[in-house]
Amino acid sequence: MNLINTFFNIDVLIDSLPQLLWGLVVTLQIGITSIICGLAGGLLLAVSRLYAPRVIKLLIHGYVDIFRSIPLLVLLIVVYYALPFVGILLSPFLSAVTALSLVSAAYSAEIFRAGIEAIPRGQFEASSALGLSNKHTMIDVILPQAIRIVIPPLTNNCINVLKDTALASVVAMPDLLKQATQAQALAANPTPLIGAAIIYVLLLWPMVATVARLEKHYSRGRS
Amino acid sequence: MSQPGQTFISIRNLNKSYGTFQVLHGIDLDIDEGEVVCVIGPSGSGKSTLIRCVNHLEAFASKSVISVDGIRVEPGDALAKVRAEVGMVFQSFNLFPHMTVLKNVMLAPMRVRKTDRVEAERKARELLVRVGISEQAEKYPGQLSGGQQQRVAIARALAMEPRVLLFDEPTSSLDPEMVGEVLDVMRKLAGTGVTMVIVTHEMGFARQVADRVIFMDSGRLVEAGTPSEIFDTPKEERTRSFLRAVLNH
């Protein structure tokens, strides 16, 4: 009984629910913005790496490696607490979106690159032989096939971005986790934290299940 | 613009190496407008590499010169012009698997020639009739047999109204019973006056259709002549032994 009152206190949960839902909205705003920026950035990096001059290729290679090595929490703190010293002052929202997008772009770039490399050389050759420009080869021939292949890993990456939005609470962003910790302090009861955890699971479980289904679907044979 | 009977493709001192391995040794070759040339020779003799150099799918030594209709084949803006004039049919078809047959044929005219959709579709359907697969227009390449796919690939190349068609062993990956339908289409094409360069192992077809047959071995152009010169009275011992091997089995 005591345990239920401590962790699943219905009154506390109902009181804190509006606050948690506002937190969810903020979490989704950060997550969706970062996912879009990360995907667009990753695609741009992957395609540039294919056609750009050697120097740019090396720079992109370096970018991808560095941003896959740096812990997201460290990057976020650098963006929020260190950049102001050189005059770059980003709001908590922009700091979170910037850090998440930079890292997500690096991972997405690798995923897109793997997808593009999986397309047989004959597809590039047939496009060239027809006189298609690099741009049209990518847009009409290669990417529609490559993106289909990488939908499962890309979705996985989106799940990671959504989960990592919780780190934004360290830069005082009122996201789901931050709202939950505040509600917990206010009510002197950890039920809001449990509520937040449940909301995260409810949000991400369907996506996780979708990835599993997609992976099964794609491995069942593409002809 | 060149006239029938004038040199259309000119190849001078074509050299090509993969690392230290030289695949083409100083090939000189002129192909006239409207000519049908068959290139024969053992595997690894450089036949495919030779025609893949014509539209620069393979880069070649910088001192070598290839020109098509007077335009030099080299990386840069002129290459798009060359490729628009030079169609290619591959051994492995290389159709775009995510597009219907119709879209496969329509794509290049719309993107490269800026043909509008209605006109591109009309033209594509006409070409599909010509290669005998008009009923398959809405299907995807994966739903077709190899022979049908290769005929779509020919229609796709023709849609750009090229003045030269390069065929890179177009029947080599087909089941035997489908070879005939593809050769029939090519035979009809040969009668239309389009320049054709065909790498093939189909000796009967070469003899019947070619204006000129070229025999290659070890990256060298060994002998060239009319089909009867090459098949009936070959001058080089290497040609004779190759033909003995492929014709007597």
Side-chain angles (χ1 to χ4, degrees), chain B:
Chain B
M1 287 293 242
S2 55
Q3 300 296 313
Q6 283 190 333
T7 299
F8 190 66
I9 302 174
S10 151
I11 299 172
R12 285 285 166 276
N13 190 28
L14 178 60
N15 287 293
K16 156 99 190 156
S17 305
Y18 292 116
T20 57
F21 177 66
Q22 193 163 359
V23 268
L24 294 175
H25 295 267
I27 307 256
D28 288 303
L29 178 65
D30 285 322
I31 294 169
D32 291 343
E33 173 105 72
E35 201 179 5
V36 176
V37 175
C38 285
V39 185
I40 62 170
S43 301
S45 59
K47 318 180 289 291
S48 290
T49 310
L50 170 67
I51 68 163
R52 287 162 58 87
C53 285
V54 172
N55 60 354
H56 209 274
L57 283 188
E58 300 280 354
F60 43 85
S62 54
K63 282 184 183 143
S64 309
V65 177
I66 299 181
S67 61
V68 175
D69 198 17
I71 307 170
R72 187 159 171 185
V73 179
E74 57 192 349
D77 294 339
L79 190 55
K81 219 179 268 174
V82 170
R83 284 175 170 169
E85 301 300 331
V86 180
M88 189 165 205
V89 175
F90 298 87
Q91 178 176 350
S92 50
F93 326 138
N94 295 348
L95 292 176
F96 305 135
H98 59 299
M99 294 180 194
T100 62
V101 162
L102 188 67
K103 292 270 163 56
N104 262 277
V105 182
M106 288 166 62
L107 179 69
M110 286 174 62
R111 294 291 185 264
V112 183
R113 299 253 193 250
K114 311 292 177 202
T115 312
D116 70 75
R117 176 173 289 276
V118 177
E119 172 60 17
E121 180 170 343
R122 191 192 61 75
K123 188 84 209 287
R125 290 198 186 275
E126 195 181 294
L127 285 167
L128 289 175
V129 170
R130 211 166 127 193
V131 298
I133 31 179
S134 47
E135 303 81 40
Q136 322 284 351
E138 317 302 332
K139 289 195 179 160
Y140 286 86
Q143 298 169 285
L144 304 186
S145 72
Q148 290 173 324
Q149 288 191 52
Q150 195 59 300
R151 286 184 284 150
V152 174
I154 293 173
R156 181 176 69 173
L158 287 174
M160 286 293 286
E161 303 185 331
R163 298 176 57 202
V164 191
L165 277 170
L166 307 173
F167 291 86
D168 187 4
E169 304 199 20
T171 57
S172 294
S173 56
L174 295 177
D175 291 336
E177 74 268 24
M178 290 168 186
V179 170
E181 63 190 59
V182 171
L183 292 183
D184 281 344
V185 169
M186 292 170 61
R187 204 171 281 126
K188 268 194 276 172
L189 272 177
T192 64
V194 64
T195 311
M196 291 166 74
V197 186
I198 306 161
V199 172
T200 186
H201 293 290
E202 299 291 334
M203 298 304 153
F205 174 80
R207 178 192 275 272
Q208 188 189 3
V209 171
D211 296 315
R212 189 152 49 125
V213 175
I214 288 166
F215 173 69
M216 283 181 69
D217 187 32
S218 313
R220 290 189 170 77
L221 200 163
V222 175
E223 193 168 355
T226 63
S228 94
E229 282 169 345
I230 298 293
F231 291 115
D232 301 331
T233 54
K235 291 190 192 69
E236 303 289 332
E237 173 50 34
R238 188 66 197 89
T239 316
R240 277 195 289 265
S241 65
F242 171 74
L243 289 172
R244 261 199 310 277
V246 294
L247 296 177
N248 302 328
H249 60 78

Side-chain angles (χ1 to χ4, degrees), chain A residues 12-13 16-17 19-24 27 165-197 199-200:
Chain A
V12 173
L13 186 65
S16 62
L17 198 58
Q19 201 181 347
L20 292 183
L21 290 179
W22 275 119
L24 176 62
T27 287
T165 55
L167 292 170
S169 57
V170 302
V171 294
M173 195 65 205
D175 74 324
L176 179 51
L177 178 60
K178 185 76 181 172
Q179 296 284 17
T181 51
Q182 278 175 349
Q184 176 220 359
L186 200 70
N189 181 293
T191 302
L193 286 177
I194 304 296
I199 293 176
Y200 276 116

